[in-house]
């Protein structure tokens, strides 16, 4: 069965520090992978997606993610976090005709 | 401006009452989706529709119903049969069916049932 695991429920970083949010997936075939961001009380916005090709994917707001098939991972990174990046981040895997979401990682940014 | 509208943002109901959540999109998207979000559980798919007058159950359809009479509208009814209706509900749409199409999300409706 398809599944997504985000092992970190809550992460706190200082503004300007680097960030890596972890995502592991379980899927039988080549996965379609997504990262979404959600500000409090709002809908989700797509940061980036991976379907095929280059395993390092660039997204909006300076985020990138790397697909590693051997580790079944699709971790999200940002070299320097801004206070406005504080939000909840969801990883999702697509299979058949629907998305399976992870439980999310809440990012807190200290000045 | 194209987008997805969900109304109202906050909704309060008494237990035993049915309630309908509105979702409208002007993106000319064929597919629409309803998700439920609970703290610590991510998003779970309730229903989805790939074309007008057709819809399919998602993972947690029990206690919910939908209709898709118009391309731009996909209302969700939370019935009295839903045991734990209090949650944040998100509507989404995509240009076509299949997960290769990006899903665009509305701002959500927070439903509280007491």
């Amino acid at each position: 069965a398809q599944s997504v695991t985000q092992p970190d429920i809550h992460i706190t970083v200082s503004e300007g520090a680097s960030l890596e949010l972890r995502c592991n997936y379980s899927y039988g075939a080549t996965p379609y992978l997504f990262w979404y961001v959600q500000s409090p009380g709002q809908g989700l916005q797509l940061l980036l997606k991976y379907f095929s090709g280059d395993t390092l994917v660039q997204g909006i707001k300076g985020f990138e993610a790397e697909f590693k098939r051997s580790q079944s991972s699709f971790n999200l990174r940002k070299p320097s976090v801004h206070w406005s990046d504080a939000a909840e981040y969801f990883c999702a895997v697509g299979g058949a005709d629907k998305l399976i979401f992870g439980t999310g990682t809440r990012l807190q940014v200290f000045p | 401006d194209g987008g997805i509208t969900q109304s109202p943002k906050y909704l309060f109901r008494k237990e035993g009452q049915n309630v309908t959540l509105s979702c409208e999109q002007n993106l000319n998207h064929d597919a629409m989706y309803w998700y439920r979000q609970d703290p610590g559980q991510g998003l779970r798919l309730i229903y989805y529709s790939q074309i007008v007058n057709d819809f399919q159950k998602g993972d947690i359809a029990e206690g919910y119903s939908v209709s898709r009479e118009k391309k731009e509208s996909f209302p969700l009814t939370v019935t009295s049969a839903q045991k734990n209706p209090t949650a944040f509900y998100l509507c989404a749409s995509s240009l076509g069916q299949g997960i290769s199409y990006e899903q665009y999300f509305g701002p959500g409706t927070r439903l509280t049932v007491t």
Side-chain angles (χ1 to χ4, degrees):
Chain A
Q2 305 157 33
S3 66
V4 177
T5 302
Q6 293 181 248
D8 304 305
I9 296 172
H10 187 203
I11 284 183
T12 301
V13 299
S14 298
E15 191 169 17
S18 63
L19 172 70
E20 183 168 26
L21 302 182
R22 296 184 291 164
C23 173
N24 293 97
Y25 68 88
S26 173
Y27 187 66
T30 300
Y32 286 25
L33 295 162
F34 306 79
W35 273 101
Y36 284 86
V37 61
Q38 183 181 34
S39 297
Q42 300 298 316
L44 276 68
Q45 181 183 21
L46 181 68
L47 285 174
L48 48 78
K49 59 188 177 186
Y50 171 79
F51 288 171
S52 64
D54 193 345
T55 57
L56 185 62
V57 180
Q58 301 298 319
I60 63 171
K61 305 186 181 196
F63 285 92
E64 66 178 28
E66 186 171 12
F67 170 60
K68 293 186 177 181
R69 184 187 299 276
S70 61
Q71 299 177 20
S72 297
S73 70
F74 189 56
N75 294 350
L76 182 71
R77 301 194 294 247
K78 187 168 185 178
S80 178
V81 171
H82 187 263
W83 64 266
S84 61
D85 293 322
E88 189 148 22
Y89 292 79
F90 291 92
C91 182
V93 62
D97 56 359
K98 62 181 182 179
L99 292 178
I100 305 298
F101 286 86
T103 51
T105 297
R106 180 165 298 280
L107 174 66
Q108 192 170 7
V109 180
F110 279 116
Chain B
D1 252 352
I4 300 177
T5 303
Q6 290 187 246
S7 60
K9 189 165 181 64
Y10 298 96
L11 193 52
F12 298 88
R13 282 294 184 270
K14 294 291 188 184
E15 197 172 318
Q17 294 179 335
N18 291 354
V19 58
T20 298
L21 281 60
S22 167
C23 178
E24 304 276 334
Q25 54 99 357
N26 61 2
L27 300 168
N28 200 31
H29 285 174
D30 285 322
M32 297 187 74
Y33 312 80
W34 273 106
Y35 292 92
R36 171 181 172 137
Q37 185 176 20
D38 297 282
Q41 295 195 46
L43 278 71
R44 292 181 290 168
L45 183 64
I46 304 173
Y47 268 98
Y48 63 103
S49 168
Q50 295 170 339
I51 54 172
V52 174
N53 292 321
D54 187 44
F55 47 82
Q56 289 79 39
K57 293 181 179 179
D59 299 317
I60 56 164
E62 185 175 349
Y64 300 98
S65 66
V66 294
S67 63
R68 186 89 187 276
E69 297 176 0
K70 299 186 297 182
K71 185 175 184 178
E72 56 270 21
S73 179
F74 191 41
L76 172 75
T77 297
V78 184
T79 75
S80 57
Q82 169 49 236
K83 290 182 173 38
N84 297 297
T86 294
F88 190 52
Y89 291 88
L90 287 161
C91 179
S93 71
S94 61
L95 185 61
Q97 64 187 50
I99 49 84
S100 61
Y101 291 95
E102 176 183 346
Q103 290 188 18
Y104 292 80
F105 284 81
T109 292
R110 185 166 298 281
L111 173 65
T112 302
V113 177
T114 57

